[in-house]
Every structure is written in C-alpha cells, then in structure tokens.
Amino acid sequence: MLKFGPAALLSLGFALCTAMQPVRGEEDPVVEQLLPPQTMLMISVPDVPELKAQGADSLLGKLLADPALQPFIEEVRGKLDEASNAVSEKLGLSLADLADLPQGEVTFAVVAPKPGKLAGVMLFDYGEHGDEIDKLLEQGHAAAVEQGCEHSTQMIGDVEVNIYKIPNNDPNNPIKHVAYFSHDSYLGVATDVAALQQVLDRMSGSKQDSLANTDVYSYISEKVEAGDADPAFVWYFDPIGLVQSAVTMIQVQNPQAAMVMGFLPILGIDKLKGMGGASYFAVDDYDGMTKSFIYAEQPTSGLMNVFQFPATAMSPPAWVPADAVMYSGFNWDAAEAYSAVETLLDSFQGPGAFERIIDGFAEDEEGPQIHIKKDIIEQLSGLIHIVGNAPASADEPSQDFIVALGLKNEDKVKKLLAKAAKTDGFDGKIREFEGATVYEMAFDAGGAEKSLVVTVTGDTLVVGTEPSSVENVIRGKSGASSLADSAGYKKLAKHIPGKVSILSYQKQDAQLQAGYEQLRAMDAESAGGLDMSKLPEFEVIQKYLRPSVSYVVPDENGALQVGFTLKD
C-alpha cells in the first residue's frame, strides 16, 4: 500500500484516537446527510471540542484529574513529549497541535459509489485550522510524488479534487487511486473519486437522497435516540449490502463467489437489513449510555429464528450474591431455536433428515442415549441465569460461575442425571444436600483443581464450579445479602423496563482489579519505558468505577440493546 500523504493521514488517525466520545452540535453538518444511501459502514464522532469540554465532567475526566494519578500522567506526558519532538521535526506540528486540529466531526465510511465497487471515505472537519491542513497536504503531496504517484486534478462543481494514481499497484488490489478535497473546513479523503463526488453532490445540495433518509437507517437512528441528548459516537453497518458489493467485486476473478448470495435467503440472513447505535455520556442520571439496534425484516426465518428472546419480567434470583462480579439473564425460546435448526437442515438434506439424526443419536448403544429434543429441549422453560463470582483469592486462575436453566419437568431431568451418573463416563461423587442430589466431578483449571457441580433444585438445573455457590441456589438464597436486594442494584433497576429479553450486570471494579494489578507490576521494558509503579493503588481507581447494566427488549422490526452506568 502507498504511504499516501503521511502527514495528513497521521493527523486524521491521531484525531480519531483522541476523539472517542464527542457530542454533535446543532449547527454542524450531519454526516448522515453527506453520505449516499449506499453506505455500508459508518463510524462517526460528531464534535471533538465538545468532547473535551464535557469529558472533564465525566467519571473518566475526574479520574484523570485525581492528584494520586498525576505522577503517572507526568510519566506518560514525558514520553509523549519525546514522540512529539520527533513528529514536529517531520511535520512542523506537535502532537498537541495535531490533537487540536479536529473542530467538528471525524467520520469514516465505506460506500458503494457504483455497483460492484467499494470505497473508503474519511471526512474531517478542521474548522479554522485551514493553514495547518494545507501545510500537511503539501507535505503529503511531496511524499506521494516522490513515491512515483501520478498526480492530477478534477473539478467537481466548484471544488478541486486532487487525485493520486498508485504506481506499480497489485492487480488484485481494488484500491487504484487516493483522492482528496479541502472545502468549507472539510477535508475529504477517499479511495475513489466517485465516492468524493457523492459527498460533494450532497454537500452542495445537488442531490438530496442520503443515508439519513433511508428507511432502515432512519428507523435505527430514531430507536437509539436518548431524548434531546446529542450522541457522542454513532455507527451503522449494512452487513448484507457489504457482502453483496464484495461478492460482485470478486466474482470477476472467482465466479463461484456468487453462490454465497444464493445461500443467504436459505439461511435467513438476508432478513438482516442493518444495525447501528449511538453512545452518550453525562446525560441526565447517566455517566455513560450506549444504545444499539438490530433491524431485521419480519417475519424472520432460518438461523435468525435461533435467536428468539421473548420479553419477560426478569431480575437476579435471590441466590445471586451482592458481591457477584457479573450476572446475565436470558429468556430464550429453545423450542423455536430447535425448530429453526431442524427446518434449515431438512432444507438441505430432505424432510425428516434432522429428526433421523437426533433419533439415531438417542438410540446409539455406545452413546449417552439422550434424546436432545425430548430429554433436553422440551424440558427447558427458556429462562437462563449465568453468574460469575470473584475467586476466593488472588491466586485463583479464574472466577467461579453458575449456570441455572429453568425447567418445565424437573423430575424427568433428575432421572436423566441419575442415568448419566451410572455410566462409565461419570468419575465423580454423589451426595445429598437439603433434599437435592448433587453430582461433583473434579477438573483441571489452569493448573488448579476445580469442581464441576451439577444438581436439580425446584424447577432449575444448576451447573457450577463452586460447591458452596451451588448450595446457595439449593437454599434459594445467598449466604450473604443478595444482588437484587442491594441498594446499588435497586438504583440501577429503576432504569430497567419491567420486561426484557436479556439482562446483564457487570461489577467493573472487580473485573478490572486483577488486570490493573498486573499493569502496576509490569517492568519498564515491557511497558515501553514507562514506570508503571507510579500508578496509584487500585482503591484510587476503584472509586471511579461504577457497576453497569445492559438489557435487550424486542421490537417489531428487531431488537434494542441499552447499556448504562449511573453518575452516582
């Protein structure tokens, strides 16, 4: 690949790295209106300066301002100064200068300017930093010409577009040119002139159709709104459109690639019309919030029906302890998933093929003689709880977990476990605990011996790695206070709908502590010369880490996922 315009591209890349969660201003150009309807991918950070202003009020901003962290920040700043000197010698701009270049949005997109063609597009709003951008572009031009690029220009309306033809390009490389324009405080860079023309046509108003007014994107955009708040980060992805364009591009060299498109309707994946999301911070009670939406044309079919999660009232059971590192709850339509797999396999091998496979597996005398549909799928209620508990000590290789599956007929599953325990494959012990039969088998977990514990209690099949945690499930309550009754979770629960398909809770401090301690113990050579011992004790970091929650709710055109952390 040509190292085109290293100065200009470096400034763009650095801007992206420093613009993680900006906020869109009302008068700024809306990038969705500048991109064509045939946009396959978009990642946008709408307003970098606003990010810097509001970021200081977030928990991350307060963490970075904490006096205990300043010795390490000074350490990092020293290394950045060294890098800045090297950059300044080459570009005439320091890293701080480059960080100040973004004055609005920074957007990357993949578009299809014509059938069978894909192009990458970068849009960069530099505001009043036109002189600095011109300087970088001049350096980029000199570097491109030095590498043998053929330079030409083309007028699109009243905007001059600079085009560089890549020399000695690999015939299989679809990128033949790199082009850019600088106009109205915007720098646009693309791998195809036609892609820039699409942007400029919409910027001038000569074309009104855009990504923003497509049915799928506009629906997704509405679903991921957070009241009147402006998003910090926006993304969109059209997976099927991208696959179609890619297949059209490569089928010239490989005609068999077109077969891929024939399988999409069979698999039901053609129903997936798009997905997108937005991130926010410092909105109302939230320190941070993300919203994502998957748009699927209804009714779904094929593999899409494997992922059916009806909404139901959901909360962590009483046996989930308040100090749990994570909790996830699912309401899965197991019967629909089984039917979807059966229909899909039968479409390839003929009616009844899947049923014959399942029956054969159950009748195999050398197998476990378990009928997957009758003995497992038909016994599941669909409710699933997964809990991760912190290890008992820092020396433990991993956290303990529990998986609890809701049952329709617990007696049948009890008989199934008793039958499995009589086979040669069971190498464990059986004991009774408060009326429940508990099966335990030892296994190796990273050099440490752990237990796989299985039991049926009430209407629940329980699989865990810590006997005492499984015993809490049998009791129906945690040995200490429960997560659902804790003040912290109750505060989060106020923002969760009454019925959800999937619910997840993460205790960030417990999840990050082990990794943070490893960073502090890292030697300077492994850390790029940084003295990691200057990082403060974890307690300093911990007070800025809030538990997070996410949930999924179904929609008539797909599903919405929402995740958040609270300010206090």
Side-chain angles (χ1 to χ4, degrees), residues 331-395:
N331 188 37
W332 181 44
D333 192 336
E336 181 65 29
Y338 182 91
S339 178
V341 174
E342 181 178 29
T343 301
L344 184 61
L345 186 65
D346 286 356
S347 68
F348 287 103
Q349 298 191 12
F354 187 67
E355 183 178 2
R356 289 192 293 271
I357 293 173
I358 298 301
D359 290 343
F361 179 77
E363 297 167 1
D364 186 356
E365 295 183 357
E366 297 182 358
Q369 295 186 328
I370 295 176
H371 196 283
I372 294 177
K373 181 180 181 181
K374 297 177 181 178
D375 295 333
I376 299 178
I377 297 297
E378 290 183 353
Q379 309 313 317
L380 297 177
S381 69
L383 198 59
I384 304 171
H385 302 285
I386 302 175
V387 181
N389 295 316
S393 69
D395 297 330

Side-chain angles (χ1 to χ4, degrees), residues 24 31-32 35-45 107-111 210-222 224 233-242 272-279 291-296:
R24 185 191 305 271
V31 69
E32 299 93 324
L35 295 173
Q38 299 78 25
T39 297
M40 307 303 162
L41 172 69
M42 182 195 72
I43 302 172
S44 180
V45 285
T107 297
F108 172 77
V110 175
V111 303
S210 67
L211 173 64
N213 51 36
T214 61
D215 292 340
V216 173
Y217 182 86
S218 59
Y219 191 90
I220 292 175
S221 181
E222 180 181 350
V224 300
F233 176 83
V234 180
W235 64 275
Y236 172 75
F237 181 41
D238 176 3
I240 304 305
L242 187 62
L272 185 58
K273 297 303 181 181
M275 55 187 71
S279 298
K291 287 190 169 187
S292 304
F293 191 87
I294 296 178
Y295 190 107

Side-chain angles (χ1 to χ4, degrees), residues 4 8 22 54 62 87 93 116 166 233 261 297 439 516 540 565:
F4 168 75
Q54 295 194 17
K62 294 175 182 177
V87 171
L93 296 173
I166 300 176
F233 176 83
M261 300 309 302
E297 187 178 68
Y439 304 85
Y516 183 79
V540 174
T565 57

Side-chain angles (χ1 to χ4, degrees), residues 132-151:
E132 291 90 337
I133 292 295
D134 288 343
K135 183 176 182 179
L136 293 175
L137 292 176
E138 289 174 5
Q139 295 181 19
H141 171 81
V145 172
E146 184 178 348
Q147 293 179 45
C149 291
E150 295 182 20
H151 174 244

Side-chain angles (χ1 to χ4, degrees), residues 427-446:
D427 183 20
K429 60 182 181 180
I430 305 173
R431 62 185 175 90
E432 297 295 319
F433 181 83
E434 296 193 5
T437 303
V438 181
Y439 304 85
E440 291 187 28
M441 291 187 295
F443 71 96
D444 181 78

Side-chain angles (χ1 to χ4, degrees), residues 113-130:
K114 60 185 73 171
K117 184 73 173 179
L118 289 173
V121 179
M122 177 79 78
L123 296 175
F124 178 76
D125 183 357
Y126 53 79
E128 298 179 356
H129 290 285

Side-chain angles (χ1 to χ4, degrees), residues 151-169:
H151 174 244
S152 61
T153 61
Q154 176 181 331
M155 296 300 297
I156 298 179
D158 58 352
V159 178
E160 182 181 71
V161 175
N162 287 267
I163 308 164
Y164 296 84
K165 182 179 180 181
I166 300 176
N168 304 318
N169 194 37

